[in-house]
Amino acid sequence: IVGKKRTDDDLAFPSRTRTRHDTSLAPRHQPPMENGGDAKWRFGAANPAVQASGRQSLRALVTRVFDCVDRSDLRPVAPLGHGDPSAFACFRTAAAAEEAVSAAVLSGKHNRYSSAGGVPDARSAVAAYLSRELPYELSTGDVFLTAGCNHAIEIMMAVLASPGANVLVPRPGYPMYEARAALCGLEFRRFDLLPEKEWEVDLDGVEALADENTVAMVIVNPNNPCGCVYSYDHLAKIAETARKLGIMVISDEVYDHCAFGSKPFVPMGVLGEIAPVVTIGGISKRWMVPGWRLGWIAATDPKGVLRDKNGALPQILANTDKAFFEKAMEVMREAAEICYRKVEGIECITCPHKPEGSMFVMVKLDLSCLDGIADDVDFCTKVAREESVVICPGSGLGMKNWLRITFAVDPGLLEDGMERVKSFCQRHVKMQHNYVS
């Protein structure tokens, strides 16, 4: 490294030193080429699968928007681009959960390796937790613990990636499914969610996309990024479609019970008699602890088609008071109402459906009434720069010129942030449009 002072380690291990032209981490001694020169390094070549996966990174996109924030702006940044409510006191997790983790650490009983599928007691606790709402009982063997839901997605995409196989994923949707599929060499095909029908699955589109190589379809309920909650009737139609096509349903339910509108949360597993269902879940959203990275995969499949921190999990699932969830959803309901009301007051943004679940809402951007805004990414970067408000561009979710807004922030900051978005739009409105309106 240029300008780096030599250390004692460099002197003791000369192979660690580098010339100013050598930035690799490989050993310096390589077999000579026939022409007497050094061999070319045999690593570092572009990997198309990794590149394709990287293009699906939502976090990287939001980070680029965040980097546009003017650091000289004294106003607090309004983080409306990602779903992590844990930063705000009004969304602090339950005391029982914190106490369970502390007790597990202090017990000294959970420092050893566990089995590959997770601590048996924790798996049994998840099985019991999920079975409360199912017409059948899950066993310990039906549950596989993961390091958060992203890890669960990674495992499922890898398992499904047989030669020539494809999986159907929703648009708009969480891009981790596409990223992991691309990395595994698994083809993904996008079916639409219909904003005019409260973001229901376009089942005709699903049937048109599927072929003899289709192995699964993914649904997210309650939905990220749309904020909808699917009814029992719609879930039943999804199950019947999967049965007709001979595919499994991967039901991402990390937002289970994050429902505060007219529809209650219904787990897809209640329809496991119709089609095989694999449920992905975790405690990150309902307990407001995304940093704890505790998730699971459950084979909610009573016919058996699919079958032929962990130390604290049983206590977290069993001892968290119902009042915690009720209070959290009341705050979330209030925040969703603020977000929807504020969006309604911004002329160039429309919301096709009031959010009823998860922590997000998708809104459509009307570029025809804005001056100097090229697309959704341009809008978000300029809002970040001028107003210190971070919003996720819809392009990262497969919906160009849409925006995903999270309302899982302190209600006061949410209200202030949405007012700043409104001010931005008023400043950038086209004069002709302003005159006509």
Side-chain angles (χ1 to χ4, degrees), residues 343-344 346-352 362-366 402:
V343 167
E344 290 285 279
I346 302 175
E347 190 173 355
C348 64
I349 298 175
T350 56
C351 181
M362 287 292 288
V363 299
K364 186 166 178 56
L365 189 60
D366 183 3
W402 286 68

Side-chain angles (χ1 to χ4, degrees), residues 208-420:
L209 284 172
D211 61 20
E212 67 278 4
N213 293 319
T214 304
V215 293
M217 65 178 293
V218 175
I219 66 167
V220 183
N221 181 46
N223 188 270
N224 168 19
C226 301
C228 61
V229 179
Y230 292 142
S231 66
Y232 178 92
D233 288 344
H234 186 57
L235 293 175
K237 291 176 182 177
I238 291 172
E240 291 289 356
T241 301
R243 180 189 183 97
K244 178 180 177 180
L245 297 173
I247 62 177
M248 75 166 71
V249 179
I250 300 172
S251 186
D252 186 330
E253 298 176 3
V254 68
Y255 288 95
D256 70 328
H257 296 284
C258 292
F260 40 80
S262 58
K263 300 189 192 77
F265 165 70
V266 178
M268 188 71 198
V270 302
L271 298 157
E273 290 280 3
I274 300 175
V277 177
V278 169
T279 299
I280 289 176
I283 68 170
S284 62
K285 305 304 182 183
R286 194 180 186 198
W287 273 264
M288 314 290 180
V289 287
W292 290 10
R293 313 308 296 165
L294 282 172
W296 55 74
I297 300 170
T300 46
D301 169 36
K303 288 189 174 182
V305 176
L306 301 173
R307 291 191 301 278
D308 275 349
K309 323 175 194 179
N310 290 356
L313 193 53
Q315 286 70 42
I316 292 173
L317 296 177
N319 299 334
T320 302
D321 190 71
K322 183 180 178 182
F324 164 76
F325 299 120
E326 292 174 344
K327 180 181 178 182
M329 284 304 98
E330 185 56 40
V331 176
M332 200 69 75
R333 183 183 296 108
E334 175 192 350
E337 185 65 41
I338 291 171
C339 184
Y340 183 72
R341 188 177 70 248
K342 291 295 183 182
V343 167
E344 290 285 279
I346 302 175
E347 190 173 355
C348 64
I349 298 175
T350 56
C351 181
H353 178 60
K354 186 176 181 178
E356 295 187 332
S358 77
M359 303 172 179
F360 305 97
V361 63
M362 287 292 288
V363 299
K364 186 166 178 56
L365 189 60
D366 183 3
L367 295 176
S368 68
C369 66
L370 292 171
D371 190 31
I373 304 296
D375 55 24
D376 56 315
V377 176
D378 190 35
F379 178 92
C380 291
T381 56
K382 288 177 178 175
V383 167
R385 186 176 299 117
E386 297 181 24
E387 297 290 349
S388 294
V389 177
V390 178
I391 297 175
C392 178
S395 293
L397 302 152
M399 295 287 278
K400 186 176 177 62
N401 295 333
W402 286 68
L403 309 171
R404 187 191 73 170
I405 301 174
T406 179
F407 42 82
V409 300
D410 178 84
L413 182 57
L414 173 63
E415 193 151 7
D416 178 45
M418 294 304 297
E419 281 295 322
R420 294 187 220 168

